[in-house]
């Protein structure tokens, strides 16, 4: 399986990552990646960039080292209602919006509360894709998440970093195996992400691919095989968003304690 897209990467702007977008793009080019996401953490993560970082992303060239770049965010879920830490106006123009749970940004809760928070974020029309559900920080109903992914056609990530670099990778591997089997059961859309925090991890999918083969996830479920397929999916998401100018209020608000 040829993977040509890595949508989940971080730069020095995240505060706990150590490479520039130029270094990441160069590494992506050497690995044969054609489409690269620049998804630094949303503002509730300590060390993350100021909101003006996201407002100024339009200065990033569309292409670096022959690789098309999608400036975006890894937004953080902040509460049990699935609210994100990015103001709506930023979500309307960022080219890629990944969403996930992080212990320092989300208060935690029961399995039901955590699952509700994750699914409510999936239902947000400004969410493009969900990341690292297999992380062991929060117990969740992984079957319900896989089923919702299929129902909403929201891709859920097999995160290579969860399987290789985090401290609790053995527990994460069990969780990832579990949700991968459910994604096969429900034919859910899938992305593979490096979650690179240093340039030499960009385009690194080996552990995620091993799990994909083990679980029997089919190639047609995986978006990373085609840049055009990813771009078409993102374009469809944007066409189907509500017109915020006609809304009297909106639940996807900036929510930072």
């Amino acid at each position: 399986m040829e993977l040509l897209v890595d949508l989940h990467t971080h730069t020095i702007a995240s505060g706990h990552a150590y490479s520039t977008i130029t270094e990441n793009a160069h590494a992506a080019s050497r690995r044969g990646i054609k489409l690269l996401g620049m998804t630094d953490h949303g503002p509730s993560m300590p060390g993350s960039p100021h909101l003006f970082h996201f407002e100024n992303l339009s200065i990033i060239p569309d292409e670096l080292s022959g690789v098309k770049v999608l400036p975006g965010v890894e937004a953080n879920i902040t509460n049990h209602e699935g609210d994100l830490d990015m103001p709506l106006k930023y979500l309307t123009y960022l080219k890629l919006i990944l969403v996930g749970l992080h212990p320092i940004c989300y208060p935690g809760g029961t399995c039901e509360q955590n699952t509700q928070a994750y699914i409510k974020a999936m239902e947000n029309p400004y969410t493009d894709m969900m990341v690292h559900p297999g992380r062991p920080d929060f117990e969740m109903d992984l079957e319900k998440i896989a089923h919702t992914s299929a129902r909403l056609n929201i891709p859920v990530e097999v995160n290579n970093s969860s399987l290789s670099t985090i401290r609790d990778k053995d527990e994460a591997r069990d969780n990832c195996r579990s949700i991968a089997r459910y994604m096969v059961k429900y034919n859910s859309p899938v992305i593979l992400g490096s979650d690179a925090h240093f340039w030499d991890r960009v385009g690194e999918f080996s552990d995620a691919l091993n799990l994909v083969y083990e679980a029997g996830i089919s190639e047609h479920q995986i978006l990373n095989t085609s840049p055009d397929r990813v771009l078409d999916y993102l374009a469809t998401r944007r066409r189907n968003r509500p017109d915020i100018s006609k809304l009297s209020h909106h639940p996807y608000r900036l929510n930072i304690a």
Side-chain angles (χ1 to χ4, degrees):
M1 190 184 305
E2 188 176 24
L3 299 178
L4 303 175
V5 179
D6 189 357
L7 296 177
H8 190 172
T9 70
H10 297 272
T11 75
I12 54 174
S14 283
H16 59 280
Y18 306 98
S19 302
T20 66
I21 183 57
T22 301
E23 291 167 330
N24 283 354
H26 184 62
S29 178
R30 290 192 299 173
R31 278 221 157 108
I33 298 295
K34 305 298 183 185
L35 182 63
L36 179 69
M38 178 186 175
T39 50
D40 287 305
H41 284 283
S44 64
M45 177 69 72
S48 64
H50 187 275
L51 284 172
F52 189 67
H53 163 88
F54 300 100
E55 188 161 346
N56 203 40
L57 282 174
S58 60
I59 70 168
I60 302 293
D62 290 338
E63 190 173 292
L64 292 168
S65 299
V67 177
K68 184 173 179 59
V69 177
L70 292 178
V73 66
E74 182 183 3
N76 303 290
I77 300 169
T78 60
N79 57 35
H80 299 146
E81 297 307 310
D83 290 331
L84 308 183
D85 64 346
M86 291 292 294
L88 182 57
K89 75 168 187 173
Y90 295 94
L91 298 181
T92 60
Y93 61 70
L94 291 175
K95 294 183 179 180
L96 176 64
I97 299 164
L98 309 184
V99 175
L101 287 169
H102 296 90
I104 207 160
C105 308
Y106 170 76
T110 65
C111 179
E112 182 178 359
Q113 288 172 323
N114 299 334
T115 304
Q116 172 185 276
Y118 203 82
I119 288 176
K120 281 185 174 292
M122 294 174 78
E123 293 171 343
N124 183 334
Y126 293 88
T127 294
D128 290 321
M129 303 174 186
M130 303 297 295
V131 297
H132 49 65
R135 293 281 175 92
D137 306 296
F138 306 106
E139 183 184 3
M140 293 194 290
D141 185 333
L142 299 177
E143 181 170 11
K144 187 176 287 187
I145 287 169
H147 181 264
T148 304
S149 166
R151 177 173 61 85
L152 299 175
N153 192 36
I154 298 292
V156 173
E157 180 189 54
V158 178
N159 183 284
N160 198 78
S161 177
S162 296
L163 301 167
S164 59
T165 63
I166 67 170
R167 284 188 296 272
D168 300 323
K169 59 179 177 289
D170 291 337
E171 188 176 352
R173 187 176 298 275
D174 290 340
N175 288 344
C176 290
R177 284 193 182 109
S178 179
I179 194 169
R181 289 193 293 269
Y182 291 130
M183 289 192 286
V184 172
K185 177 180 178 179
Y186 294 109
N187 195 32
S188 312
V190 177
I191 56 167
L192 276 63
S194 70
D195 199 357
H197 285 64
F198 191 64
W199 65 263
D200 72 340
R201 304 295 296 176
V202 173
E204 174 53 56
F205 303 116
S206 55
D207 291 292
L209 267 176
N210 287 338
L211 187 141
V212 162
Y213 292 136
E214 176 188 327
I217 293 174
S218 63
E219 186 169 339
H220 83 268
Q221 291 177 254
I222 299 173
L223 270 67
N224 305 64
T225 54
S226 166
D228 287 340
R229 189 176 174 196
V230 171
L231 294 172
D232 288 346
Y233 165 78
L234 293 173
T236 299
R237 289 292 295 170
R238 278 143 187 76
R239 283 196 300 271
N240 292 333
R241 285 175 173 175
D243 183 350
I244 63 170
S245 67
K246 297 179 181 178
L247 298 179
S248 59
H249 69 281
H250 202 285
Y252 312 113
R253 59 192 179 275
L254 179 63
N255 185 12
I256 303 175

